[in-house]
C-alpha cells in the first residue's frame, strides 16, 4: 500500500487517475481508525475505482490544545487496518505544512447558520477548521465522492454546504453510525475512556432510543427534562447538551410541527473526553 506525506505525490496519483478516467473516492479521517472508518472505506472501495484515505489530526478544528495533544494517534495500526482492506488504497498522511503551507489559519465561513447550532455553540470556530481543511483536501484529491459518518451529523450537513459554497463537484455521502454491541457509537475518542467510563457510556444511546420511542407522545420540554435527570446522579457522565432539532436547518425546537423531520443530538463528557451522538426521531 502506498503511504505519502507529500501533497505532490498525491497530486501525481490524482493526475494519472484523471488521465485514465478513473473515479476517485475519498475518506478523510483523523486516524485512530475504528470499524466505523473502515465501513466508510469499504463503501468507497465498492463505489469507486480508486480510493484515497487521509490521516491528519487537523489542528485548526480543535478548541483546546489539551484536546489536540491528547487526540489518539495510532498511525502504524491505522495503516495495517487499511492494508487489510485493500493494498490499492492510497494513504495521505501530510504534515500541517503540506496542507496549510506556511500559515496555518482557517477561512471564516458562513454555512447559512448551521455553524451556530449545537457543536458550533460549544466549540467556537470548530467548523471553520473542518471546512478549511476539507477545502484543501478536496482541492488536492479532487474526489468524485467523499464519505462521512452520520455520528457527526452536523459536520455532514456543513460539508454539504461547504461544497455548495466552494462550488466543488464532489458528491458527499453520509453513512450510518457504527455502534458497539452495547450501543455506544464508535469514535476515536472512545480509545481514551477508562473501564468505568466505558461501562457507563452506552447510557447515551439508550437515552436516545428512549427519546425516539417517546417522541410521538411527549413534548420536547418533557423529553429534555427527562434526559437531564438521567445524568443527575451519574458520577462518570456529565450532560453538555441534549437538543431536538429540525433536520433541515439544525435549529433546536421547543415545539414539534407537522411534516417536519427531527433528530435528537447529545453531547456528554466522560471526564475530559467529549462524546457526541444523535438519532433520527421520525
Ligand atoms: O470527522 C473527522 O474526523 C474530521 O472532522 C475530518 C472530517 C477528517 C476533518 O478533519
Amino acid at each position: 500500500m502506498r503511504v505519502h506525506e507529500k501533497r505532490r505525490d498525491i497530486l501525481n496519483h490524482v493526475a494519472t487517475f484523471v488521465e485514465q478516467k478513473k473515479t476517485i473516492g475519498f475518506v478523510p479521517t483523523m486516524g485512530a481508525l475504528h470499524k466505523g472508518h473502515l465501513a466508510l472505506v469499504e463503501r468507497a472501495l465498492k463505489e469507486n475505482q480508486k480510493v484515497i484515505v487521509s490521516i491528519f489530526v487537523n489542528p485548526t478544528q480543535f478548541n483546546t490544545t489539551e484536546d489536540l495533544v491528547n487526540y489518539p494517534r495510532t498511525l502504524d495500526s491505522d495503516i495495517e487496518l487499511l492494508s487489510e482492506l485493500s493494498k490499492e488504497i492510497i494513504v495521505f498522511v501530510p504534515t500541517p505544512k503540506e496542507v496549510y503551507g506556511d500559515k496555518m489559519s482557517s477561512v471564516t465561513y458562513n454555512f447559512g447558520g448551521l455553524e451556530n447550532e449545537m457543536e458550533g455553540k460549544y466549540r467556537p470556530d470548530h467548523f471553520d477548521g473542518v471546512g478549511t481543511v476539507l477545502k484543501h483536501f478536496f482541492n488536492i484529491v479532487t474526489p468524485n465522492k467523499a464519505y462521512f459518518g452520520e455520528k457527526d451529523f452536523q459536520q455532514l450537513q456543513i460539508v454539504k454546504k461547504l461544497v455548495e459554497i466552494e462550488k466543488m463537484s464532489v458528491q458527499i455521502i453520509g453513512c450510518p453510525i457504527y455502534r458497539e454491541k452495547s450501543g455506544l457509537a464508535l469514535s476515536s475518542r472512545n480509545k481514551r475512556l477508562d473501564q468505568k467510563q466505558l461501562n457507563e457510556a452506552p447510557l447515551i444511546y439508550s437515552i436516545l432510543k428512549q427519546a425516539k420511542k417517546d417522541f410521538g407522545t411527549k413534548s420536547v420540554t418533557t423529553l429534555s427534562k427527562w434526559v437531564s435527570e438521567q445524568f443527575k446522579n451519574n458520577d462518570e457522565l456529565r450532560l453538555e447538551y441534549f437538543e431536538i432539532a429540525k433536520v433541515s436547518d439544525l435549529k433546536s425546537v421547543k415545539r414539534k410541527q407537522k411534516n417536519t423531520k427531527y433528530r435528537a443530538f447529545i453531547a456528554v463528557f466522560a471526564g475530559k473526553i467529549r462524546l457526541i451522538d444523535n438519532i433520527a426521531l421520525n
Side-chain angles (χ1 to χ4, degrees), residues 108-120:
T108 304
Y109 279 107
N110 175 345
F111 292 115
L114 290 173
E115 73 280 16
N116 301 324
E117 307 302 325
M118 299 176 292
E119 291 301 283

Side-chain angles (χ1 to χ4, degrees), residues 28-30 37 56 58 61 71 126 130 133-134 148 152 155:
T29 81
M30 297 207 296
H37 292 115
F56 178 63
N58 174 34
Q61 71 186 75
Y71 197 84
H126 166 69
V130 172
V133 80
L134 289 175
F148 296 84
D152 299 296
Q155 169 173 278

